[in-house]
Amino acid sequence: MENEFFKNRLNITRRHFFGQAAAGIGGLALGSLLVPDLFKGDASAQSLPLGVAHFAPKAKRVIYLCQNGAPSQYESFDYKPMLNKMAGQDLPDSIRGTQRLTGMTASQDKFPLVGSYYNFKQHGKSGTYISEIFPHIGSIADDICVIRTMSTDAINHDPALTFLQTGAQVGNRPSMGAWMSYGLGSENKNLPAFCVLLSRGRGNGQGVYSKLWTNGFLDSTHQGVVFSSSEDPILYLNDSDGIDKAGRRRMLDQLAALNHEGFAENKDPEVEAKVQQYEMAYRMQTAVPELTDLSKEPDHIIKMYGPECLVPGTYAANVLLARKLSESGVRFVQIYHQGWDSHGNLPKEMAMQAEDVDRSSAALITDLKQRGLLDETLVIWGGEFGRTNYCQGKYTVDNYGRDHHPRAYSIFMAGGGVKAGTVYGETDELGYNVIKDPVHIHDFHATVQHLMGINHEQLTYKHLGRRYRLTDIAGNVLPGLIA
């Protein structure tokens, strides 16, 4: 009788009905796995990030090793023997053209060319030229893609670093990590999607500031969370004396209830963001202490990164912590290492800086690779602009400085769908101008977002009547960088 009802009324059998229903339930299950809070149904779910990539990503996470202060490409990854041959000769006007100068060298009568103090040699099957002060990075040459033709619009540190991190030279724009958090969310509910680590080298430093990891006009839940090298990795995270876990939970529940009432009245999204941040901090109280305890790493890992990795706040310790954060599902980990601003005494300062970062930078890539994580983790290494091929101030063979040069400089990337064992782009024989395959900052951002499965033109946010994006109104994905 029941079967006859289904046949007559719906023209389907009961077996067919339940078969189709099962397929729908499977689709719901898949959706809940892709976006865990998709069917949560409360107010907080409505303010969650988009959560799903626009297309299949090559990378799931980013570790950005920002070398703040601008390391010289001529002593690292852009081998220019002609500079050594022409050392002391004045930079030809035909090469410099209308390139602007900083106030530090604009008054110079001469611009004597200066070659690298260090030797270069080819590494790996790729034969990539890398300076002798980066032997460990040289040992992984076949795992990295060296980009020799980066260019930027800014010639001074503050606007250049801001531009590199936010896509604009002015403040109050969301940083790369904030955009990733907004677009893709976090893979671990107990950790932020965007974490920031700071270290200082032995060279001349340039400061870093919160606008580099700001959420800008996005919800404050997307701001980078800064880890400290102090006894408390995240300040004010732990409960005060006399407050237990149960008491903290009751307090947060009552505070959330008050905030929800306030949101119902004024509809300010920052009220809901605060509730989410309180909840995140509560969950992090358990996750962070274990995560930041590097002493439990096995001996062979400590040996790989170097003994400095057990000293909190060092570059090596931050790089190892970055691996642990990324491995735990943090979407974007940003390290700022200061000290590359070599306007004078470059041979000595650059060697010290390289010694601080070379081993652990290479170890990170090797470690990710041996864990099977490199293919899904994009590692970026580089600064905000390059250095001039001429000397700033008095020139001697073993003591010279280089000024800022935005027109052409070098970085490298690894993993995450990048074409390994390659060199992208070419500069002229004096390393001053790009002659093949330029990479503007907007192109760089577009390509990084593409590797993460994001169409850079579609990830936008409407603010003050205009739709903003990381790449502003420019940027092209560069297929030559993608495997």
Side-chain angles (χ1 to χ4, degrees):
M1 188 73 171
E2 187 178 13
N3 285 341
E4 288 297 317
F5 174 82
F6 277 102
K7 287 180 182 180
N8 295 334
R9 296 283 182 174
L10 304 176
N11 198 30
I12 58 174
T13 66
R14 183 170 61 178
R15 179 176 298 177
H16 182 264
F17 171 78
F18 283 115
Q20 294 298 308
I25 292 171
L28 295 175
L30 176 60
S32 67
L33 288 172
L34 292 173
V35 187
D37 294 303
L38 186 61
F39 308 111
K40 189 174 179 181
D42 62 13
S44 63
Q46 304 307 313
S47 60
L48 288 170
L50 305 182
V52 178
H54 296 143
F55 45 84
K58 291 182 177 291
K60 295 180 180 179
R61 294 168 292 278
V62 176
I63 299 177
Y64 197 146
L65 310 176
C66 184
Q67 310 303 317
N68 180 26
S72 168
Q73 67 274 29
Y74 304 111
E75 280 76 19
S76 55
F77 304 111
D78 199 2
Y79 178 47
K80 294 300 174 186
M82 184 60 69
L83 283 179
N84 290 80
K85 293 179 181 179
M86 296 179 63
Q89 298 182 36
D90 201 40
L91 173 66
D93 291 338
S94 60
I95 298 295
R96 198 184 86 185
T98 59
Q99 170 72 13
R100 59 181 173 151
L101 306 174
T102 73
M104 292 171 284
T105 54
S107 61
Q108 289 187 194
D109 296 328
K110 300 289 184 181
F111 300 93
L113 296 172
V114 54
S116 173
Y117 181 81
Y118 309 108
N119 296 319
F120 278 69
K121 75 173 186 177
Q122 292 177 283
H123 291 269
K125 295 179 181 178
S126 60
T128 303
Y129 278 101
I130 295 176
S131 168
E132 64 180 332
I133 61 174
F134 295 98
H136 292 91
I137 293 176
S139 71
I140 59 163
D142 288 338
D143 293 316
I144 67 175
C145 172
V146 175
I147 303 173
R148 291 179 176 160
T149 52
M150 288 289 295
S151 67
T152 182
D153 297 342
I155 199 170
N156 289 310
H157 292 286
D158 184 302
L161 194 56
T162 306
F163 189 35
L164 175 65
Q165 297 301 287
T166 70
Q169 297 184 48
V170 297
N172 198 36
R173 297 287 180 85
S175 64
M176 291 180 67
W179 278 113
M180 292 295 182
S181 173
Y182 167 68
L184 297 174
S186 178
E187 293 184 299
N188 188 334
K189 288 189 175 183
N190 296 326
L191 292 170
F194 179 21
C195 295
V196 178
L197 308 171
L198 309 175
S199 62
R200 179 177 290 277
R202 292 174 283 172
N204 184 31
Q206 284 289 330
V208 294
Y209 20 83
S210 60
K211 72 174 181 178
L212 299 175
W213 52 87
T214 181
N215 56 293
F217 41 70
L218 301 176
D219 288 348
S220 56
T221 52
H222 304 301
Q223 179 172 321
V225 174
V226 181
F227 280 62
S228 167
S229 59
S230 67
E231 185 177 344
D232 294 327
I234 298 180
L235 300 178
Y236 313 115
L237 181 66
N238 295 328
D239 292 329
S240 303
D241 293 339
I243 298 180
D244 59 16
K245 200 73 172 174
R248 173 66 67 180
R249 181 67 269 168
R250 289 193 299 272
M251 184 273 287
L252 289 177
D253 289 343
Q254 293 173 7
L255 183 60
L258 291 172
N259 279 321
H260 287 317
E261 288 182 12
F263 177 77
E265 292 180 5
N266 57 38
K267 304 300 181 182
D268 183 358
E270 276 301 296
V271 174
E272 291 292 283
K274 290 295 183 185
V275 174
Q276 294 181 46
Q277 288 173 320
Y278 290 140
E279 292 298 325
M280 172 63 74
Y282 181 76
R283 296 193 296 271
M284 288 171 65
Q285 288 182 329
T286 300
V288 168
E290 180 179 355
L291 192 64
T292 55
D293 185 2
L294 303 182
S295 64
K296 295 180 181 179
E297 290 292 310
D299 290 343
H300 73 278
I301 294 295
I302 301 301
K303 183 178 180 180
M304 182 188 300
Y305 285 84
E308 298 84 6
C309 74
L310 295 179
V311 181
T314 63
Y315 180 81
N318 283 346
V319 171
L320 179 53
L321 179 56
R323 187 223 79 202
K324 295 187 68 176
L325 288 167
S326 182
E327 189 177 28
S328 299
V330 174
R331 184 73 66 183
F332 198 100
V333 183
Q334 178 86 53
I335 293 178
Y336 292 97
H337 185 65
Q338 305 166 67
W340 293 97
D341 195 17
S342 300
H343 290 275
N345 200 18
L346 185 147
K348 180 180 178 181
E349 289 189 2
M350 187 106 177
M352 290 191 303
Q353 286 292 109
E355 185 179 13
D356 287 343
V357 308
D358 174 50
R359 183 175 184 173
S360 49
S361 296
L364 172 65
I365 294 169
T366 302
D367 196 6
L368 290 170
K369 187 176 182 180
Q370 71 182 10
R371 292 168 186 271
L373 296 173
L374 185 59
D375 287 346
E376 62 185 38
T377 308
L378 176 63
V379 179
I380 305 168
W381 190 104
E384 63 268 34
F385 44 58
R387 292 281 161 184
T388 55
N389 59 0
Y390 58 82
C391 179
Q392 177 180 337
K394 184 178 180 181
Y395 165 62
T396 61
V397 175
D398 58 357
N399 188 3
Y400 56 87
R402 298 187 189 275
D403 199 5
H404 308 163
H405 186 62
R407 184 171 291 186
Y409 70 103
S410 300
I411 69 169
F412 73 77
M413 299 198 292
V418 170
K419 193 176 293 184
T422 59
V423 173
Y424 187 88
E426 183 180 347
T427 56
D428 61 39
E429 62 181 359
L430 297 180
Y432 198 89
N433 296 302
V434 173
I435 60 175
K436 180 182 178 183
D437 295 332
V439 182
H440 187 268
I441 294 295
H442 289 317
D443 302 327
F444 166 70
H445 287 158
T447 304
V448 169
Q449 288 195 327
H450 179 86
L451 291 169
M452 293 290 286
I454 294 173
N455 183 326
H456 73 103
E457 294 180 337
Q458 293 180 6
L459 184 62
T460 63
Y461 188 90
K462 191 172 183 179
H463 174 64
L464 298 178
R466 177 194 164 187
R467 293 195 178 277
Y468 287 85
R469 66 186 204 224
L470 177 62
T471 52
D472 196 33
I473 57 171
N476 296 295
V477 176
L478 303 176
L481 295 173
I482 301 172

